[in-house]
Amino acid sequence: MSNQTAHFVPDGNTYVEVILPIAIPKPYTYYVPEELVADIQFGLRVEVQFGKSKLYTGLVINITNQPPQDYKAKAVLSVVDQKPIITATQFRLWQWMADYYRCTLGEIMNAALPANLKLTSETQLTLSPLFDDDFSMLSDKEYLIAEALSIQQEISIDDVRQILGQKTVYPLIRSLLEKKIIYLKEDLKTKYKPKKVGCVRFKEPYATYPELINEAFEKVSRSQRQTNALLAFVQLDRRQEVVRKQDIYKMAEVDTSVIQAMVKKGIFELYDKEISRLGSYEEATIDANTLAEQQVSALRQIKEQFESKNVVLLHGVTGSGKTRVYIELIQEALRREEQVLYLLPEIALTTQIIDRLQKVFGDDIAVYHSRLNNNERVELWNSVLDGKPIVLGARSSLFLPFKKLKLIVVDEEHDPSFKQQDPNPRYSGRDTAIYMAHLHGAKVILGTATPSIESYFNAQSGKYGLVEMPERYGGISMPEIIIADAKEELQKRKLQSHFTTTLIDELKGCLERGEQAILFQNRRGYSPSYRCNTCGWHSECIHCDVSLTYHKFHNLLKCHYCGYQTKLPEQCPACGNKQLNLRGFGTEKIEDELKIYLPDAQIGRMDLDTVRGKHAHAKIINDFEEQRLDILVGTQMVTKGLDFENVAVVGVLSADQLLQFPDFRASERAFQLMTQVSGRSGRKKKRGKVIIQAFNTAHPVLQEVIKNDYNSLYQREIQERREYKYPPYFRLIRITLKHKKPQTLNDASRIFDKSIKQSLGHWVLGPAVPYVGRVRTYYLIDFMVKLPRDAKKMAYAKDSIVRATDTLKKSGGMSGVRVSVDVDPY
């Protein structure tokens, strides 16, 4: 970025380097026509042509006098923005991510920008329903487009170019958008449209002369409903700036016909008010509650650590009051007029915590996550550019254009959801947050009850500061944890379906006392396997090498990898046997069978199947908070940061599944999940109880969970990691080759294997077929690079992977093989 001044005046021709939201290896250079030079700045979007005819909006990242050496530069067609939509610091983060996670800037841009800021020539236009066929205010070119749209329902930006016979059409489209003649089709990449609500106000003379209000009441005196509507309006008008039609409908219990009648009588007039799509917090904000002694001590230690360290790990047991410590730090940052980013691993956590933070910070806080629609994302993007003080969000909020960011809180820092698995960029939200803080000169708090081994290692070695909060807030005891021996109960024929008598008895007692319970099972669906006892056949996905899961509600077999679904076969496809059995159990089956043992209990379920809607998650949590549900059954969503004051019993239904997972992090993850879900018990009033069902009750992790003994887990894990060369002592890079034909994939793996091992030798493990060898019709083969912690060796390894990939792609018939690189896989 050699030049980022607002008005670059060159000696010769001006060129710009532009990134496009596609996976090309480097930015593309375009020539800037003389009439556009004065408008060009770093960070603006420009309309450009790429390939033979396709139009994109790309981002200007550099202004230069140097033409490209290897091709003739095409011209920039138009400048889209009047001010930059990204910042220089933000772009430096993109550059680091592209380099570290081995992907392209285009892939970063595609992940970072809201869809509505990425237009292409295929974007569809349609005539606005507000347009009343009045063409008199339009220019000749605008008239041609409006006329075309009045004949056809929709046309693309490409069609507009052909109609007008010119390439530069975006300024014209923007003009039509501003005049509300057209809009861009919502389900494609559309430009941001403000949200409007229907409002009511007094018509003249009542608007100017409120003393004439009695005259208005006389006009409606013969209609009780109209009188009620007028009274409601007067009350609402006194206490809020605008009065929405919906407010009157609700308060006066009337409908639209009443308001329309009053419009005809000349009392009201209707208008549309543009409002924020981000929602606002209308309740009065409150001061956070008084700090406990442990919280005061933690705050003092964090500030002391920040004097010499940029990152502090806050290790506090579940219920210790870590959120209250974050609130205090955020308040201090706001007093200094700084921006704060509060990161959570996924949307599941935001429902409760946003309510808590809004009570303290009001409209100073905004929420950013994948459930926002594109219009909401653009609005939030712009509000962060304008200095929005606090953003609460999932990992994607790292891409927002902060200007005064000085504090990042990474809550539940251990959580695997912080890692983007697919597609590129495959980044770690926690690690990226730490580098982002470095660029902004900000401080980072990593908060958790169960630190990742890597973060705790960094704290123990002095790279991070460490602050501990070992006691629960208010002196409440940690829950009593009981291991229920499922193997013994099975042998004694006491096991009731998938429930031990210990668990069932505790649940009954809990319900009799009017308390609530949470049950955790890390599989959704009804049953994970549908099998034939005669020949051993089992239902498998046609696209992936995994068993199909039975979902009783839909009466279908579904694949949790690709979404494929099919009906249950009436007989075994292999041997014709009609006696087919369901094996295993998921959350849906638990919910179903609990009703047999606890017929009077109100049971809810929280997993990926039940929280697909934008507000579904909030509704389930609200129902449980309001005690409309007695028992909540869920996957790991229920383990994360939720705080319910009436939960007395927590059940972990299958600890063995967690402990036997084929991954070097299995013990760490199992400890984290069981400890986190245990922490949901007995948080407010009294000591809770946790029942962990297991067949292998002697596993050391179970003893560590019972004692809440993170140090023992850490010491055992760190010794094994050192011995077997795993993080934090070694770095990992996973390389996955994918192709639809197994023979082509095998040939590709041999070529790649030879090339990569020439450079990296014994650092490379593989090739090997992964745990799931085919996903979405693609066969997979993995390589794992395992190398010592050394920045130069890491850079050399990444360069070697790029060279091996190039060698593979240049080999005959291998251009269709996909190569994905995952640096620091979780």
Side-chain angles (χ1 to χ4, degrees):
M1 295 181 294
S2 60
N3 213 316
Q4 293 170 19
T5 53
H7 298 289
F8 180 82
V9 183
D11 298 328
N13 290 333
T14 302
Y15 297 87
V16 286
E17 290 179 22
V18 173
I19 49 174
L20 304 169
I22 50 177
I24 52 175
K26 59 183 183 180
Y28 213 68
T29 302
Y30 288 87
Y31 163 70
V32 184
E34 193 173 339
E35 66 272 16
L36 297 180
V37 168
D39 299 326
I40 288 289
Q41 296 181 55
F42 164 84
L44 295 178
R45 286 177 301 157
V46 288
E47 182 185 15
V48 293
Q49 182 180 331
F50 185 76
K52 287 186 177 179
S53 59
K54 198 162 185 182
L55 289 184
Y56 286 93
T57 46
L59 268 173
V60 174
I61 58 161
N62 193 22
I63 304 167
T64 178
N65 294 111
Q66 298 298 318
Q69 298 297 309
D70 304 319
Y71 55 92
K72 185 179 178 182
K74 295 174 183 174
V76 170
L77 301 177
S78 68
V79 178
V80 176
D81 302 301
Q82 294 177 333
K83 63 179 184 178
I85 65 163
I86 67 166
T87 69
T89 306
Q90 187 183 16
F91 180 62
R92 286 201 297 276
L93 179 69
W94 292 10
Q95 288 175 306
W96 174 82
M97 290 180 73
D99 177 64
Y100 187 84
Y101 292 109
R102 272 300 181 258
C103 59
T104 67
L105 278 169
E107 288 169 313
I108 302 283
M109 173 186 170
N110 193 44
L113 290 187
N116 291 8
L117 297 180
K118 298 174 291 188
L119 287 157
T120 78
S121 52
E122 292 161 2
T123 301
Q124 299 290 308
L125 312 175
T126 184
L127 206 57
S128 168
L130 302 173
F131 182 56
D132 57 4
D133 294 330
D134 180 9
F135 292 92
S136 60
M137 301 295 290
L138 304 184
S139 68
D140 291 344
K141 289 179 179 179
E142 289 171 341
Y143 172 79
L144 285 173
I145 296 171
E147 186 182 42
L149 281 167
S150 64
I151 297 166
Q152 298 172 249
Q153 277 201 322
E154 59 189 57
I155 58 176
S156 69
I157 291 179
D158 245 351
D159 296 332
V160 174
R161 290 164 61 203
Q162 291 171 16
I163 291 166
L164 300 178
Q166 66 183 53
K167 279 187 177 179
T168 309
V169 297
Y170 195 86
L172 193 67
I173 290 165
R174 186 175 60 189
S175 168
L176 286 166
L177 283 163
E178 287 170 354
K179 291 177 180 176
K180 300 180 176 57
I181 307 298
I182 64 168
Y183 67 92
L184 308 187
K185 198 173 177 189
E186 184 66 28
D187 60 346
L188 297 173
K189 296 186 180 77
T190 62
K191 185 173 169 60
Y192 167 67
K193 297 187 298 297
K195 181 178 180 180
K196 296 190 174 182
V197 293
C199 297
V200 179
R201 61 189 171 205
F202 271 137
K203 197 171 183 180
E204 294 297 349
Y206 308 111
T208 307
Y209 304 103
E211 61 270 18
L212 298 177
I213 189 76
N214 289 336
E215 184 184 312
F217 273 107
E218 285 176 20
K219 285 187 178 181
V220 298
S221 59
R222 296 178 65 181
S223 167
Q224 186 59 49
R225 296 176 75 206
Q226 290 179 24
T227 301
N228 291 344
L230 185 52
L231 282 166
F233 174 82
V234 171
Q235 288 181 48
L236 290 164
D237 192 44
R238 283 175 183 159
R239 63 179 191 235
Q240 56 194 58
E241 283 186 31
V242 295
V243 179
R244 297 177 297 182
K245 287 191 285 187
Q246 291 294 337
D247 295 337
I248 298 177
Y249 298 160
K250 188 175 179 181
M251 182 180 276
E253 297 181 349
V254 297
D255 56 27
T256 185
S257 63
V258 174
I259 303 297
Q260 289 295 342
M262 296 174 76
V263 169
K264 286 181 182 177
K265 289 180 178 179
I267 298 169
F268 288 158
E269 64 178 6
L270 306 179
Y271 70 102
D272 288 332
K273 169 77 174 174
E274 187 177 312
I275 63 161
S276 167
R277 293 175 178 273
L278 306 177
S280 64
Y281 194 78
E282 293 173 358
E283 290 182 33
T285 57
I286 60 168
D287 292 327
N289 56 307
T290 308
L291 289 168
E293 189 177 329
Q294 179 178 241
Q295 292 167 328
V296 173
S297 173
L299 273 166
R300 186 186 67 253
Q301 291 177 62
I302 288 167
K303 291 172 190 175
E304 288 171 359
Q305 297 276 10
F306 274 160
E307 289 178 12
S308 57
K309 305 273 195 320
N310 291 323
V311 182
V312 171
L313 176 64
L314 179 60
H315 179 199
V317 298
T318 54
S320 58
K322 295 186 292 295
T323 307
R324 180 65 184 85
V325 173
Y326 306 150
I327 287 170
E328 193 70 20
L329 291 166
I330 293 167
Q331 285 176 326
E332 291 178 10
L334 294 195
R335 285 195 286 271
R336 297 189 295 267
E337 297 186 345
E338 299 167 350
Q339 286 180 300
V340 178
L341 173 59
Y342 191 129
L343 278 180
L344 287 160
E346 55 184 293
I347 178 58
L349 282 169
T350 63
T351 306
Q352 268 198 329
I353 212 154
I354 186 62
D355 182 53
R356 186 171 173 189
L357 293 179
Q358 277 182 325
K359 285 177 181 174
V360 181
F361 299 112
D363 285 340
D364 280 343
I365 193 164
V367 191
Y368 191 77
H369 52 70
S370 60
R371 299 276 171 88
L372 293 180
N373 66 42
N374 289 324
N375 288 331
E376 291 169 326
R377 288 184 183 212
V378 173
E379 189 165 327
L380 202 150
W381 183 280
N382 291 332
S383 74
V384 173
L385 260 179
D386 292 337
K388 189 75 174 180
I390 313 166
V391 175
L392 173 74
R395 61 175 184 264
S396 58
S397 53
L398 288 162
F399 292 118
L400 291 167
F402 293 95
K403 287 184 174 178
K404 298 183 290 183
L405 183 67
K406 293 300 173 187
L407 176 66
I408 302 178
V409 176
V410 184
D411 203 5
E412 311 294 348
E413 66 84 27
H414 66 277
D415 199 290
S417 301
F418 275 125
K419 175 71 172 181
Q420 163 78 8
Q421 301 294 347
D422 209 41
N424 274 339
R426 295 177 176 85
Y427 66 101
S428 159
R430 177 194 63 208
D431 298 347
T432 302
I434 291 169
Y435 190 80
M436 180 183 182
H438 162 71
L439 291 175
H440 283 270
K443 301 294 185 182
V444 180
I445 287 280
L446 303 178
T448 177
T450 53
S452 64
I453 298 295
E454 289 92 333
S455 292
Y456 202 71
F457 176 81
N458 285 332
Q460 292 291 331
S461 61
K463 185 177 179 182
Y464 299 167
L466 176 62
V467 175
E468 311 229 48
M469 296 175 69
E471 297 170 6
R472 280 187 152 188
Y473 182 80
I476 295 169
S477 301
M478 294 298 288
E480 177 190 358
I481 299 178
I482 299 166
I483 305 296
D485 192 335
K487 183 179 179 182
E488 183 184 327
E489 292 219 356
L490 181 65
Q491 289 170 346
K492 293 181 178 178
R493 298 190 177 181
K494 288 184 177 180
L495 204 63
Q496 302 174 55
S497 181
H498 307 292
F499 312 108
T500 57
T501 50
T502 307
L503 180 59
I504 289 292
D505 289 346
E506 288 295 342
L507 289 174
K508 285 178 179 175
C510 170
L511 295 175
E512 285 169 7
R513 295 188 300 270
E515 295 168 340
Q516 292 172 292
I518 290 176
L519 297 185
F520 165 63
Q521 164 66 357
N522 213 22
R523 279 183 176 166
R524 61 191 171 98
Y526 190 85
S527 183
S529 181
Y530 193 52
R531 292 181 177 271
C532 171
N533 289 339
T534 304
C535 71
W537 171 90
H538 67 282
S539 58
E540 279 198 341
C541 177
I542 61 171
H543 305 304
C544 312
D545 285 346
V546 292
S547 296
L548 294 173
T549 299
Y550 174 57
H551 286 248
K552 186 178 180 182
F553 182 77
H554 299 285
N555 198 32
L556 291 170
L557 293 166
K558 293 185 179 182
C559 175
H560 290 170
Y561 279 77
C562 70
Y564 168 77
Q565 57 189 44
T566 185
K567 293 179 180 177
L568 276 74
E570 293 180 3
Q571 60 185 36
C572 174
C575 71
N577 172 36
K578 292 188 177 181
Q579 300 299 313
L580 300 176
N581 293 324
L582 293 164
R583 297 275 183 89
F585 60 101
T587 48
E588 190 181 16
K589 190 173 186 180
I590 292 164
E591 179 190 21
D592 203 40
E593 294 195 347
L594 265 182
K595 292 170 183 173
I596 298 168
Y597 300 102
L598 304 167
D600 298 326
Q602 295 299 311
I603 301 166
R605 177 162 53 94
M606 187 162 70
D607 56 28
L608 200 60
D609 298 317
T610 62
V611 299
R612 292 189 186 277
K614 183 173 180 179
H615 302 295
H617 199 284
K619 184 182 184 306
I620 294 168
I621 287 176
N622 189 52
D623 284 347
F624 196 60
E625 276 184 322
E626 299 292 328
Q627 299 181 32
R628 287 187 285 273
L629 297 173
D630 301 313
I631 301 173
L632 183 62
V633 179
T635 55
Q636 60 181 347
M637 285 182 181
V638 301
T639 70
K640 300 176 182 179
L642 299 173
D643 188 1
F644 303 109
E645 63 179 44
N646 198 42
V647 172
V649 174
V650 165
V652 177
L653 288 156
S654 187
D656 305 279
Q657 284 178 4
L658 302 172
L659 294 164
Q660 293 166 3
F661 197 75
D663 186 280
F664 75 93
R665 288 192 174 95
S667 291
E668 177 190 0
R669 294 266 166 82
F671 178 88
Q672 288 166 346
L673 277 169
M674 284 189 275
T675 301
Q676 291 285 342
V677 77
S678 299
R680 304 312 113 210
S681 171
R683 291 170 68 87
K684 289 283 172 72
K685 294 178 181 175
K686 64 176 188 176
R687 192 181 188 198
K689 195 170 281 189
V690 179
I691 316 298
I692 298 177
Q693 295 186 167
F695 283 84
N696 178 15
T697 57
H699 199 289
V701 170
L702 294 177
Q703 300 308 311
E704 287 153 1
V705 172
I706 289 173
K707 297 172 186 173
N708 193 33
D709 188 357
Y710 177 81
N711 277 323
S712 292
L713 172 89
Y714 175 76
Q715 295 302 334
R716 185 166 46 77
E717 281 292 303
I718 208 75
Q719 188 176 337
E720 289 181 8
R721 304 272 181 102
R722 186 190 295 113
E723 187 176 341
Y724 296 109
K725 298 181 178 179
Y726 279 108
Y729 295 101
F730 273 65
R731 304 290 296 280
L732 302 180
I733 306 174
R734 182 191 295 125
I735 306 141
T736 304
L737 274 54
K738 307 177 185 181
H739 200 272
K740 292 190 176 183
K741 295 179 181 176
Q743 187 56 52
T744 303
L745 184 64
N746 288 334
D747 294 342
S749 72
R750 281 191 287 271
I751 296 167
F752 191 86
D753 183 54
K754 182 180 177 183
S755 178
I756 194 74
K757 284 180 179 171
Q758 279 178 347
S759 300
L760 302 181
H762 68 278
W763 287 351
V764 181
L765 303 177
V769 177
Y771 182 63
V772 178
R774 185 172 60 119
V775 175
R776 294 186 177 94
T777 73
Y778 280 88
Y779 291 89
L780 313 176
I781 283 184
D782 277 354
F783 292 82
M784 185 70 82
V785 179
K786 195 187 269 192
L787 65 157
R789 288 178 67 90
D790 182 295
K792 289 182 180 177
K793 288 176 180 174
M794 190 69 162
Y796 174 71
K798 290 175 185 176
D799 290 341
S800 299
I801 292 166
V802 171
R803 288 195 297 272
T805 304
D806 290 343
T807 301
L808 174 65
K809 294 287 186 180
K810 289 172 184 173
S811 303
M814 296 295 156
S815 61
V817 177
R818 295 186 183 181
V819 181
S820 70
V821 179
D822 189 0
V823 180
D824 302 332
Y826 273 39

